[in-house]
Amino acid sequence: MKFTDAILLNRVIKSVREGVFPPICLKCRKSYRIPNERYEEARALYANPNANLRDPIRFRRLMTAYLCSQCQSGFYAVESPLCPRCGIMFKSREGSDHLCGKCLKSARHFRKARAFAVYNEMFKDLIYCYKYRNKIQLEKPFSFILFSIFIRYWDARDIDIIAPVPLHWRRMYQRGFNQAFLMVRKWRTVAKTFQIDLTSVLIEREIIVRTQQTASQVGMSVKDRQANIKNAFAVKTPEKIKGKRILLIDDVLTTGSTVNECARILMNNGARYVDVLTLAQAIKSF
Ligand SMILES: [Zn+2]
Ligand SMILES: [Zn+2]
């Protein structure tokens, strides 16, 4: 870059910061101002892997460049007591982790599921922006947040393959990306900040593929969801997953029927175990 270009670029950055081109909130689409120190705090968080991002203040700092302060509010982290199997957070904030009623009763093909935040209005809106309004700027904070939760609940040496829950090719074509894969595709770089070695972990987009177009599950009952999802997936290369420890990634865990079906297919094809990590999780047991 030429010296004059660098000066020009600095001027542009400065004017953005000073509000000549204020950022637009991804959710409410209004412009807002960000004080300089907020930028600095967000940058400091990205450089400090030990910061607890489940702290609401820190989470808001991380979202500074994407959401206005009003739209940042309402964040709620998933915390113990939770179900050690499906990760659901109990409404009662007393006591220790214990299996939930559903996990005691029904078959779970995954070993454990964990999430970062409660899937409430705030997170619903945020994920909606990311998934349906193509706000892929959110890839950066989501990737970072998800990784911080990954190392909270897992030792990276206990996972061989990281794979997203797949979209059907038709939806992939319409949308142009698999939002779950975007959240992990740069994990090797993110891991370096955390001083974690991910070189032996395979991060792959197409471990599981959709075999049929399933109807959108929004508004369906648990039973309908299970029927809708049955046999919707296949393992692309079974030899690849034999004896492997797999971490499935998705944006949100609501009824769990999708990840459970993916886990079932993987286990049937010889995976050693399947775990699940999502950005958000519904608080209602599935
Ligand atoms: Zn807003
Ligand atoms: Zn459970």
Side-chain angles (χ1 to χ4, degrees):
M1 194 190 289
K2 279 192 297 194
F3 183 62
T4 46
D5 290 345
I7 290 176
L8 191 66
L9 185 65
N10 272 332
R11 273 197 199 140
V12 170
I13 293 170
K14 200 161 172 273
S15 57
V16 167
R17 286 190 171 185
E18 287 173 356
V20 179
F21 305 111
I24 309 286
C25 172
L26 294 188
K27 191 187 146 196
C28 69
R29 307 178 200 199
K30 288 183 193 140
S31 66
Y32 63 105
R33 290 187 180 236
I34 308 175
N36 267 350
E37 62 269 24
R38 291 283 171 279
Y39 274 114
E40 298 309 323
E41 283 161 356
R43 194 171 301 145
L45 280 178
Y46 278 114
N48 174 17
N50 297 319
N52 175 12
L53 303 174
R54 287 165 292 118
D55 173 279
I57 302 284
R58 291 209 177 98
F59 174 77
R60 293 178 73 146
R61 294 288 173 269
L62 210 60
M63 300 315 291
T64 292
Y66 314 97
L67 297 175
C68 71
S69 59
Q70 207 171 352
C71 292
Q72 287 166 5
S73 61
F75 162 77
Y76 210 94
V78 172
E79 299 280 8
S80 280
L82 44 80
C83 169
R85 195 77 191 267
C86 70
I88 192 132
M89 188 168 103
F90 296 113
K91 280 193 184 127
S92 160
R93 304 279 75 227
E94 312 264 304
S96 53
D97 292 357
H98 57 276
L99 282 176
C100 73
K102 292 276 171 64
C103 284
L104 284 168
K105 269 188 281 176
S106 43
R108 301 286 195 223
H109 299 284
F110 54 85
R111 201 182 57 148
K112 67 170 175 182
R114 291 293 182 271
F116 173 70
V118 171
Y119 192 51
N120 58 7
E121 284 308 312
M122 192 264 163
F123 239 82
K124 226 174 247 181
D125 289 341
L126 203 52
I127 290 178
Y128 187 87
C129 283
Y130 181 55
K131 263 173 99 163
Y132 300 105
R133 286 182 40 221
N134 281 7
K135 298 298 176 194
I136 52 171
Q137 307 92 304
L138 289 168
E139 176 189 339
K140 187 183 173 187
F142 283 179
S143 173
F144 193 71
I145 283 167
L146 208 57
F147 191 82
S148 76
I149 288 299
F150 171 57
I151 55 163
R152 179 168 189 237
Y153 291 111
W154 281 268
D155 185 322
R157 288 166 297 189
D158 292 337
I159 294 294
D160 302 307
I161 302 175
I162 294 172
V165 167
L167 285 176
H168 188 271
W169 66 265
R170 217 172 296 158
R171 268 195 227 154
M172 181 88 169
Y173 180 74
Q174 287 160 353
R175 213 180 277 165
F177 61 95
N178 176 332
Q179 75 286 343
F181 180 67
L182 292 192
M183 294 193 293
V184 291
R185 66 171 177 171
K186 289 183 184 150
W187 264 21
R188 270 186 229 292
T189 317
V190 178
K192 278 185 198 147
T193 315
F194 288 76
Q195 293 184 315
I196 303 262
D197 182 21
L198 271 196
T199 44
S200 59
V201 181
L202 189 69
I203 301 174
E204 201 158 310
R205 196 199 320 235
E206 290 196 314
I207 290 294
I208 321 168
V209 289
R210 287 229 187 215
T211 52
Q212 59 193 50
Q213 173 86 6
T214 45
S216 171
Q217 306 217 83
V218 177
M220 271 190 196
S221 72
V222 173
K223 258 212 172 100
D224 289 345
R225 279 179 190 237
Q226 278 161 355
N228 182 39
I229 215 80
K230 193 95 183 150
N231 301 321
F233 302 102
V235 170
K236 204 177 180 189
T237 341
E239 317 80 75
K240 226 176 195 169
I241 63 152
K242 285 242 150 43
K244 293 292 196 286
R245 302 160 304 169
I246 300 170
L247 180 69
L248 276 176
I249 304 289
D250 210 353
D251 47 9
V252 53
L253 193 70
T254 46
T255 66
S257 42
T258 306
V259 288
N260 206 34
E261 181 60 15
C262 286
R264 189 181 71 84
I265 294 283
L266 289 166
M267 292 303 287
N268 281 353
N269 280 277
R272 194 160 127 206
Y273 55 71
V274 178
D275 290 339
V276 179
L277 174 62
T278 60
L279 257 189
Q281 179 168 27
I283 203 159
K284 215 169 97 203
S285 182
F286 55 86

